[in-house]
Amino acid sequence: MPRLDLALTATLPADADAATLAGRVWRPDLGGPAVVTLRGGQVVDVTRSFPTSRDLCENADPAAALRAADGETIGSLADILANTPVDGRDPNRPWLLSPLDLQAVKAAGVTFAVSMLERVIEEKARGNPAAAATIREEIGKLIGDDLSKLKPGSPEAMHLKEVLIKQGAWSQYLEVGIGPDAEIFTKAPPMSTVGTGADAGLHPASSWNNPEPEIVLIVASDGRIVGATLGNDVNLRDVEGRSALLLGKAKDNNAAAAVGPFIRLFDAGFTLDHVRRTTVTLTVEGEDGFRLEGSSSIARISRDPADLAAQMIGPHHQYPDGAALYLGTMFAPIKDRDAPGGGFTHKYGDIVTIAAPELGSLVNRMKRTDACAPWTYGASHLMRHLAGRGLL
């Protein structure tokens, strides 16, 4: 049976000693969350300098400001990681949280050609995984499976759109995949994301679903991209496949937005160009012995990360507390798990590991949304806590 194991070396980036990492920890001794950084394997509470993760990311130079901040050492990362999974947790000792707090949580959809085709297939299958294989073959014959060199919104893309319309094969997913406008949607409310080691939620109404391993950009309120982390944009394929108008039900559920383990802030050693070259890997290990592996290369994204951020925030869309933006994934699992032709879907108890050398690893166990810890701590609770600490 797979275990939810938060190994220290796997959690951190390969070059952790050179990385500027920001996170959040629950402090039972104070009855609330703390903004933290890592120094020499120790977790340092810097909340007196930055009451929220949002405040840190709004700084003119977040990485430099975090390195210079004074703080209180609250324990080793190894000990805090060991106490993070809910099974066996000592509620009197600190544990790791999602690194996000007040930021809006947004996501970009259909940003890779492979995932675009899978969304078209979902739509055509009307939520029926048994029909997906046949439709996948038909769509592939019509438009091919390599659209990675097609620039969205370009004359070539618009010509392809005209051809597909004439053939009766146009789809709303092709519109956002190769058209001028990106799909940007709200993934989850601020304060609702879960971190590494937490249970992640699957709505029990779904019988066809999958993880989506992604990089998450951290964007300040003025549009600056200041860092990145990992995310799992848990997706209910059958729900979205029935109707794109059910996107909220397919995406925004209890514990269905996993983010972490830390925000890696941009500095001389880690920039947006590093993100553009990153490959995100995925492993799913089931209690039934099933194992699935995959990857998503940001180098093959159809829309540049900076363009996606610019479509999310600007003169027409403001986020005064900044935003976190899931960039989308090229990974769409089709490996049969049970019956031939049935494709992949999660089972409760699956351990999902999303990793990248530059960002570490995000590990979650899949459970029913109503079996995950309920979301009870919101922005009002955080403000009262910070006021009680004299930090507001």
Side-chain angles (χ1 to χ4, degrees):
M1 180 181 299
R3 295 179 63 252
L4 205 165
D5 182 18
L6 300 184
L8 180 63
T9 53
T11 297
L12 294 174
D15 59 341
D17 290 342
T20 307
L21 301 175
R24 292 170 65 246
V25 164
W26 185 269
R27 291 192 58 174
D29 57 329
L30 298 177
V35 177
V36 301
T37 190
L38 298 183
R39 292 174 183 164
Q42 298 297 302
V43 177
V44 179
D45 182 346
V46 294
T47 314
R48 292 206 170 274
S49 296
F50 308 106
T52 66
S53 170
R54 173 266 181 205
D55 291 321
L56 170 62
C57 295
E58 287 295 301
N59 191 278
D61 187 344
L66 183 58
R67 287 193 296 267
D70 294 329
E72 173 192 358
T73 299
I74 59 175
S76 72
L77 178 59
D79 288 343
I80 290 174
L81 280 176
N83 196 49
T84 294
V86 66
D87 293 346
R89 177 188 294 165
D90 180 350
N92 297 310
R93 297 169 49 218
W95 62 87
L96 205 62
L97 301 170
S98 162
L100 304 179
D101 47 38
L102 298 177
Q103 295 94 339
V105 185
K106 310 292 285 188
V110 202
T111 54
F112 290 82
V114 172
S115 64
M116 177 182 71
L117 294 180
E118 286 301 310
R119 294 296 178 269
V120 175
I121 291 162
E122 286 172 10
E123 182 183 39
K124 302 297 182 185
R126 297 297 182 195
N128 178 14
T134 299
I135 297 171
R136 186 176 293 111
E137 182 178 358
E138 293 173 354
I139 295 292
K141 288 179 180 178
L142 184 60
I143 64 176
D145 59 3
D146 184 11
L147 300 176
S148 59
K149 295 181 181 179
L150 190 67
K151 181 177 175 57
S154 67
E156 293 80 9
M158 294 302 95
H159 175 68
L160 176 59
K161 176 179 177 177
E162 292 176 4
V163 170
L164 292 171
I165 290 174
K166 290 178 181 178
Q167 302 225 7
W170 186 246
S171 160
Q172 57 199 336
Y173 292 107
L174 288 168
E175 175 65 48
V176 295
I178 65 175
D181 299 313
E183 179 192 18
I184 307 288
F185 60 91
T186 296
K187 170 61 181 177
M191 297 290 297
S192 71
T193 58
V194 298
T196 195
D199 291 329
L202 290 167
H203 198 292
S206 172
S207 60
W208 185 23
N209 45 67
N210 63 269
E212 294 192 351
E214 305 187 15
I215 284 182
V216 179
L217 294 183
I218 309 302
V219 186
S221 62
D222 59 4
R224 289 175 298 125
I225 304 171
V226 298
T229 186
L230 295 168
N232 184 356
D233 181 13
V234 179
N235 183 42
L236 311 182
R237 299 190 69 180
D238 47 359
V239 173
E240 185 178 355
R242 281 160 43 207
S243 170
L245 297 180
L246 293 173
L247 182 65
K249 187 175 182 65
K251 292 290 190 177
D252 182 7
N253 296 293
N254 184 43
V259 180
F262 297 96
I263 295 171
R264 182 165 185 178
L265 296 170
F266 286 169
D267 54 22
F270 181 67
T271 67
L272 187 58
D273 282 338
H274 290 87
V275 170
R276 291 183 173 111
R277 298 191 295 267
T278 297
T279 294
V280 180
T281 60
L282 169 80
T283 305
V284 178
E285 299 174 280
E287 293 180 343
D288 56 354
F290 178 85
R291 183 179 176 88
L292 175 71
E293 296 181 342
S295 64
S296 182
S297 172
I298 302 300
R300 295 182 62 186
I301 200 167
S302 300
R303 300 181 190 271
D304 186 74
D307 174 59
L308 290 170
Q311 291 210 34
M312 175 191 70
I313 191 169
H316 308 292
H317 297 90
Q318 292 85 38
Y319 299 100
D321 292 316
L325 175 64
Y326 285 77
L327 288 180
T329 183
M330 65 176 282
F331 181 72
I334 59 175
K335 178 181 178 181
D336 291 340
R337 183 165 194 173
D338 293 316
F344 169 84
T345 195
H346 270 305
K347 293 186 177 182
Y348 301 128
D350 282 353
I351 303 297
V352 178
T353 302
I354 295 170
E358 303 87 348
L359 296 169
S361 64
L362 170 67
V363 186
N364 301 99
R365 177 178 60 181
M366 307 308 300
K367 295 184 71 174
R368 287 172 57 115
T369 45
D370 55 358
C372 297
W375 177 36
T376 60
Y377 193 94
S380 64
H381 303 82
L382 177 61
M383 293 302 103
R384 293 187 184 98
H385 168 71
L386 293 174
R389 289 186 65 182
L391 300 178
L392 289 184

